Amino acid sequence: MRSEREYVAGLYERLDAERARVKGRYNETLTVRGNATVLVERDAEARVLAREIRRLGVADNGLCFGRLDSVTGEHSYIGRIGIFDEANEFEPLLMDWRAPAAQAFYIATAASPENMRRRRQFHTRGREVTDFTDEVFGRPGDGERGDAALLAAVNAPRGEGMRDIVATIQAEQDRIIRLDHPGVLVIEGGPGTGKTVVALHRVAYLLYTQREQMERNGVLVVGPNKAFLKHIGRVLPSLGETNVVFTTTGELMPGLQVTAEDTPEAARLKGSLKILDVLEAAVADRQRVPREPISLELTDVTVRIDADIAGWAREEARASGRPHNEARPAFLEVLTWALTERAIARIGKGWLTRDDREAWENMRTDLRGELAEHEGFRAAIEDLWPTLEPEELLAELLSSTDRLRAAGASQALYREDGAAWTISDIPLLDELTDLLGRDTTAEQAAAERERKAQAAYAEGVLDLLVNRADHMDDEDHLFATDLLYGEDLAERFVERDTRELAERAASDRDWTYRHIVVDEAQELSQMDWRVLMRRCPSHSFTVVGDLAQRSSPAGATSWAAMLDPYVPGRWLYRSLTVNYRTPAEIMAIAAGVLADFAPDVQPPESVRACGVQPWSRRLPVDEMPSAIEEFIRDEAAREGTSIVIGPPGMPGTVPASQTKGLEFDAVLVVDPDHILAEGPRGAAELYVALTRATQRLGVLHGTPLPQSLSALHPADRAMSK
């Protein structure tokens, strides 16, 4: 024991020395001054060093958690990060858990020892080793890998967020984490199987093995709600990884706020790929021809925009294949050309022919200029081919029965406030962003203004230097420092984006990621997947979900239905079958609910029992609030976390849909009959509610229990405590 304590203490000494060295370099870097190029290089180096400081900063707790002894007598220490000998940078003092040679720590068994003789697992408190457990492979009577560390972890009271499992990764989990597959990996597992934490550790592994590619574009993690993202948000930073954006599907359009909720039918319609036809029709509906000719009085002639000429311009613009706003210049150009041709023919009737090219072109130039300044012409263009924004177009579509009808859409999509955005609107707005494109005319004007501003500033700097030279004595010289002064001034036009990658990516709708993790993926619609595939051109995904827990009317009924349109033949399926969270006593109750609505689905097998039976108590409705308060008060006196789950809208409770992916030591489910009544997926919601508990489960009900919960143990007021 003493030698192990001394070795681990030495690792911490080496860690502290490396921290001090990197922090010193970081502080030196911040003092660098110079021109724009130097400052860009300084900022890049500072970001690298800041990441290294964060990487070294995660290792105070559980730096080293085990040792592997090979059959040849060599031994390696396994830990949260890699640490190398100061004198020999190729000599590992501590092996990163993601290194290939560390895999045996997770998968070696007595039956398959992976050329290992012994695995030692450390038990630590802070920086000190308090004990260790040995598993010696190959001896008669030895069993499989011991469960002491695992059971200690799963039985421990829950804290504020999800913990990493780096010290207790199981063999089936490790094989998924290290799987070498460049496409889409689907990880399916029932409640408590660790699929979320496995996906996060897989991200950490990919960032370790593909550092350069992954850090260039970063990783996106998509979760069902903000509470879930907060719950899992500590895992990757605890593993030293920060170039990750955490978001919900409702936040995939930066700056947009979701404030409303769709009806199930509207959500189903918006989630289907058939909505693409509606969106295209809605855009086409705004590309109009006039019902009556539009007359424009010019200086020497009156011209008319009629249906024929506008229709021709519209067809030419559409034929360009460009998005709506980017095709607008083509519409404008064709319409302008046609109008000027007609005007020239009328003005020059009897004296001007096309043979007189110079006169013809001069007149065309004058007419084009007059049209460009003509308020009536500009108004006509805005009416026939308006510049459109996605939010404007969709809001007007959803709040107008006439526009919905014109686009061939169901009236079930109608709502009074078109701009009351829902989660299901996000993929529609994302699609419209591409269908509409940018207003290139405005962009070009802004670029021209910027070019002129820079030119004017450059002229000012030049005048400054010339004036200074004019006032020099003959013995004076114009040094390079004088020119540097001009460069320093010019830096005001050079914007250096010093934000971290995650911050830059989260604020940029057009950012593309190297890898995307999608959790609770069974809830995503076909349109949601279209958005995410657009965000990751390489189609590198880790998809986590459980089809049995689907509650969204637009969610997945099969993984193939969602993925085959995008990655046919490029997605793999892996399942997790062991429940590390839910004790056997609680899982037996949840399995009864699962059998009712998904009889073909096998519930995950619990790895442990807790010795506490789930209970139920029937109460009058008016006594429910006091019983909930009693539960909250009792649990507050215990160590750990608790939650009260009930039907949507019930005071004092949280809907089951908001608890997906979360876990609590104690759960009180209120009014399960009403949860079941919440639409066709109510049973899935109840299944989710029952499987959030890691230790204790209670059920309050005012009506007779559903048959699927008949195995619950009836409890009086005292027994529930």
Side-chain angles (χ1 to χ4, degrees):
M1 174 67 75
R2 176 183 295 179
S3 63
E4 298 292 33
R5 285 176 175 168
E6 290 175 350
Y7 190 88
V8 173
L11 291 176
Y12 277 110
E13 289 178 5
R14 181 74 187 94
L15 174 68
D16 291 340
E18 185 64 9
R19 281 176 174 169
R21 185 187 68 81
V22 176
K23 187 64 180 294
R25 282 187 57 198
Y26 178 76
N27 291 335
E28 289 176 6
T29 299
L30 295 182
T31 65
V32 172
R33 296 291 182 267
N35 59 26
T37 301
V38 170
L39 293 179
V40 168
E41 293 174 352
R42 180 202 68 182
D43 292 343
E45 184 177 2
R47 282 195 290 268
V48 171
L49 291 170
R51 284 197 297 270
E52 182 66 6
I53 290 172
R54 288 193 295 270
R55 186 186 78 88
L56 295 171
V58 305
D60 263 332
N61 207 4
L63 171 64
C64 176
F65 47 76
R67 194 181 95 179
L68 269 177
D69 295 353
S70 71
V71 294
T72 61
E74 299 174 343
H75 60 262
S76 304
Y77 287 85
I78 313 299
R80 190 171 293 273
I81 64 173
I83 294 180
F84 293 85
D85 190 285
E86 186 174 13
N88 182 1
E89 63 180 19
F90 298 105
E91 180 66 28
L93 301 176
L94 181 67
M95 187 180 299
D96 192 299
W97 67 274
R98 295 166 289 190
Q103 186 174 21
F105 184 79
Y106 298 108
I107 67 173
T109 64
S112 180
E114 302 290 324
N115 293 321
M116 294 297 152
R117 183 176 63 85
R118 177 172 57 189
R119 171 175 42 230
R120 174 169 291 175
Q121 291 181 301
F122 295 141
H123 309 290
T124 60
R125 183 181 297 111
R127 290 188 166 203
E128 183 181 357
V129 176
T130 60
D131 197 4
F132 59 76
T133 304
D134 277 349
E135 297 170 68
V136 179
F137 305 123
R139 296 190 310 198
D142 281 343
E144 294 293 307
R145 177 180 179 179
D147 291 329
L150 172 65
L151 291 176
V154 298
N155 281 315
R158 265 47 186 177
E160 289 299 316
M162 179 179 283
R163 296 166 295 192
D164 66 63
I165 59 170
V166 64
T168 58
I169 294 171
Q170 300 300 289
E172 72 166 357
Q173 297 173 329
D174 186 79
R175 292 187 181 94
I176 293 174
I177 289 170
R178 298 175 191 265
L179 189 63
D180 183 17
H181 177 64
V184 177
L185 172 63
V186 176
I187 307 172
E188 184 165 28
T193 53
K195 51 189 178 293
T196 295
V197 75
V198 166
L200 295 175
H201 282 68
R202 175 167 169 78
V203 169
Y205 176 76
L206 293 175
L207 283 164
Y208 177 81
T209 57
Q210 304 174 27
R211 178 72 61 187
E212 184 177 349
Q213 305 97 302
M214 298 291 271
E215 284 196 338
R216 188 179 302 119
N217 292 82
V219 176
L220 177 67
V221 176
V222 180
N225 52 60
K226 291 183 178 180
F228 173 85
L229 295 177
K230 181 180 179 182
H231 177 65
I232 69 171
R234 299 179 183 178
V235 175
L236 283 168
S238 77
L239 299 172
E241 304 299 348
T242 57
N243 281 341
V244 180
V245 175
F246 293 87
T247 191
T248 66
T249 54
E251 298 169 305
L252 287 172
M253 288 289 289
L256 201 74
Q257 296 296 319
V258 171
T259 60
E261 187 173 343
D262 277 314
T263 65
E265 178 61 8
R268 185 187 66 81
L269 291 170
K270 290 179 181 179
S272 169
L273 292 180
K274 294 179 181 178
I275 199 71
L276 293 173
D277 294 333
V278 172
L279 298 178
E280 290 177 1
V283 174
D285 185 49
R286 306 300 290 271
Q287 300 166 353
R288 301 178 53 251
V289 295
R291 294 181 179 179
E292 300 293 336
I294 301 172
S295 294
L296 303 173
E297 292 188 9
L298 304 179
T299 301
D300 298 319
V301 69
T302 297
V303 294
R304 296 192 314 168
I305 304 175
D306 55 29
D308 287 344
I309 195 172
W312 176 40
R314 181 174 67 176
E315 293 308 310
E316 289 295 324
R318 288 176 174 176
S320 71
R322 296 174 181 171
H324 171 86
N325 290 331
E326 295 172 25
R328 177 177 155 119
F331 178 82
L332 175 62
E333 179 63 27
V334 172
L335 195 60
T336 300
W337 185 89
L339 290 176
T340 56
E341 281 292 302
R342 289 185 177 184
I344 293 171
R346 291 175 185 173
I347 295 172
K349 186 177 182 180
W351 64 271
L352 180 64
T353 67
R354 288 186 180 275
D355 292 336
D356 191 350
R357 294 183 180 179
E358 183 176 355
W360 194 286
E361 290 303 322
N362 288 339
M363 190 176 295
R364 182 192 302 282
T365 300
D366 293 341
L367 288 168
R368 287 177 67 94
E370 190 172 356
L371 280 174
E373 299 297 326
H374 196 287
E375 291 186 8
F377 182 64
R378 290 201 298 264
I381 295 297
E382 196 58 37
D383 181 53
L384 301 177
W385 197 288
T387 299
L388 296 173
E389 295 294 331
E391 294 90 340
E392 170 195 16
L393 178 63
L394 188 60
E396 292 178 358
L397 172 68
L398 297 177
S399 59
S400 169
T401 56
D402 290 339
R403 290 196 185 279
L404 285 170
R405 190 178 301 109
S410 167
Q411 293 298 318
L413 295 176
Y414 173 81
R415 65 181 182 229
E416 187 172 347
D417 184 355
W421 303 119
T422 69
I423 287 179
S424 301
D425 291 330
I426 301 302
L428 276 59
L429 291 167
D430 194 71
E431 190 71 31
L432 284 171
T433 299
D434 281 356
L435 284 175
L436 297 178
R438 293 180 171 82
D439 181 5
T440 56
T441 304
E443 285 189 356
Q444 290 170 359
E448 180 62 18
R449 288 194 298 272
E450 177 69 11
R451 187 193 66 77
K452 289 180 178 179
Q454 290 195 27
Y457 183 75
E459 289 177 3
V461 172
L462 181 60
D463 289 343
L464 176 68
L465 295 176
V466 170
N467 289 335
R468 185 172 180 182
D470 289 342
H471 289 83
M472 285 180 178
D473 296 331
D474 292 339
E475 296 180 357
D476 290 334
H477 301 281
L478 189 63
F479 292 104
T481 51
D482 297 312
L483 296 176
L484 182 59
Y485 176 68
E487 290 178 3
D488 290 340
L489 289 177
E491 278 186 27
R492 71 182 62 182
F493 290 101
V494 180
E495 294 185 6
R496 297 190 306 277
D497 194 339
T498 59
R499 294 175 299 169
E500 291 294 327
L501 180 143
E503 187 180 358
R504 287 184 282 127
S507 64
D508 185 356
R509 180 263 173 187
D510 294 324
W511 190 278
T512 57
Y513 296 88
R514 184 64 181 84
H515 189 79
I516 295 181
V517 175
V518 186
D519 211 317
E520 299 296 337
Q522 73 277 354
E523 305 300 335
L524 269 62
S525 69
Q526 292 176 311
M527 287 296 292
D528 288 326
W529 279 110
R530 190 172 171 89
V531 174
L532 292 176
M533 291 292 173
R534 192 178 287 131
R535 297 292 193 279
C536 185
S538 65
H539 292 173
S540 176
F541 283 77
T542 298
V543 177
V544 180
D546 180 11
L547 294 178
Q549 295 186 56
R550 177 180 66 88
S551 59
S552 169
T557 55
S558 76
W559 300 118
M562 291 298 181
L563 298 175
D564 281 347
Y566 304 102
V567 285
R570 284 194 59 217
W571 64 277
L572 293 180
Y573 176 88
R574 294 292 184 270
S575 64
L576 293 169
T577 59
V578 179
N579 189 332
Y580 301 99
R581 176 178 68 216
T582 317
E585 296 89 340
I586 296 176
M587 199 61 218
I589 303 299
V593 174
L594 179 66
D596 261 13
F597 75 94
D600 296 333
V601 177
Q602 183 70 26
E605 182 179 356
S606 296
V607 76
R608 67 188 174 99
C610 66
V612 179
Q613 291 296 327
W615 54 267
S616 67
R617 189 199 312 166
R618 185 172 181 177
L619 291 173
V621 174
D622 59 353
E623 293 186 24
M624 289 283 189
S626 61
I628 292 173
E629 290 177 5
E630 179 186 5
F631 169 83
I632 295 172
R633 185 171 57 252
D634 290 346
E635 287 300 329
R638 301 176 184 261
E639 186 180 6
T641 60
S642 62
I643 193 171
V644 181
I645 302 175
M650 175 176 279
T653 71
V654 178
S657 61
Q658 296 300 308
T659 66
K660 287 186 175 180
L662 306 183
E663 56 184 25
F664 306 88
D665 292 273
V667 171
L668 180 65
V669 178
V670 181
D671 211 350
D673 213 26
H674 283 179
I675 296 177
L676 284 171
E678 287 293 319
R681 301 300 300 177
E685 295 285 84
L686 181 57
Y687 180 60
V688 169
L690 296 171
T691 54
R692 299 307 95 194
T694 66
Q695 301 291 344
R696 300 175 296 281
L697 172 68
V699 175
L700 294 179
H701 57 107
T703 58
L705 278 175
Q707 182 61 34
S708 58
L709 297 180
S710 60
L712 280 167
H713 186 77
D716 60 24
R717 192 175 303 273
M719 292 180 67
S720 69
K721 298 179 182 179

